[in-house]
Amino acid sequence: MILVSVWLAPESVYPESKSLGKISFDPKPQEGYFQGWNYYYRDKDTILFATFLVSNLGPGTHNNGVSLYIKHPKLGTYFTTQEYADYDLIAKTGEFGQKSGDNKMEKKGHSFFVTMRTGDLELDLEFNASTQKFPIALSGGDIDLTPFNGFLRADVGFSRVPAKGQIRKSETTIDLNGLGGMEHLNTNLEVYKYSKSWEILRSFSEQGDRLNFGGFTGTDNYPNGFFKRISIVSNKGEEIFSGKVTKIEILKKTHNKFSGYDLPTQQKLTIDGEDSCTATITDTKVIGEINVLENISAVLRFFVRLFFAKPYQIHLNTSVVWDCVNSPIPTQTFKSGIHSYYLVNR
């Protein structure tokens, strides 16, 4: 099908270059096209992940939808997905924004707005990204996935910015006033062809610097076994370090009973470059666990099972010790972090 739609009040988000992030709607004709925008939010009581997706996987093109995960004392654990066809999608190529059914994300000035209506729950959330200069290209730009014919791009739209809003469910109203961020992924190749698992980590120092780490573990025929990178952004929203992970040492691991996967609890990353930089990641408490197959429709479950043997999401509290011998960035600990694993296949 041909997507013909108009986004209300479109605007260019940020200047674009190879080094900057590019988070606009960017549809591709390939079957493996996938774009996702993941918003996270946290305060002393609440963990929240709100995700918008567009993909050509399965029947039709521009299949789209949203997922919402909330953990709060008054709600317990809440997870839902909403699935839509291309005629339900309102978006415009080259612009930021998406409307899927009654759910939408949009940008006005320096603020990003997320609205979700999932039947029994309403979410309204605003992220004030005025301290973020521009999206950061966590992947370093478009990555060539040779020997496969495709590309991958991962961006951090903004991180650890003030966020406020409200959750309403039945007679319960929860006011939100915390911190959050947004990450973006864009690829035109089916992810199961080159990856087994994905991860994204966000952690923050006492000085207000933000460390982001992410990437994927490759399939057996992916060169070098993995692709992962680290970016550090100052408290002024400017990128002060970016590098590719060249070596991963698993120092400790544990068996996650919920998913059945073995996951690292402590790992040491070596970063490419002359500064002899390492990052030691320590994961502690599990703060969220999702079995994807249990929370989607029968039709989508059929297609997911064709390609993804055991799809789970595991979210954990984390901290990172950063150490560089020759770098102007001092040795420091990044705390208050969230480490998210997106497990696809063993």
Side-chain angles (χ1 to χ4, degrees), residues 1 67-68 114 151 190 195 201 236-237 314 338 346:
M1 296 183 181
S67 69
L68 178 61
V114 171
F151 81 95
E190 294 90 337
S195 66
L201 180 152
K236 297 180 180 179
I314 310 295
I338 301 175
R346 290 186 181 278

Side-chain angles (χ1 to χ4, degrees), residues 153 157 207:
R153 186 181 186 103
Q207 294 76 25

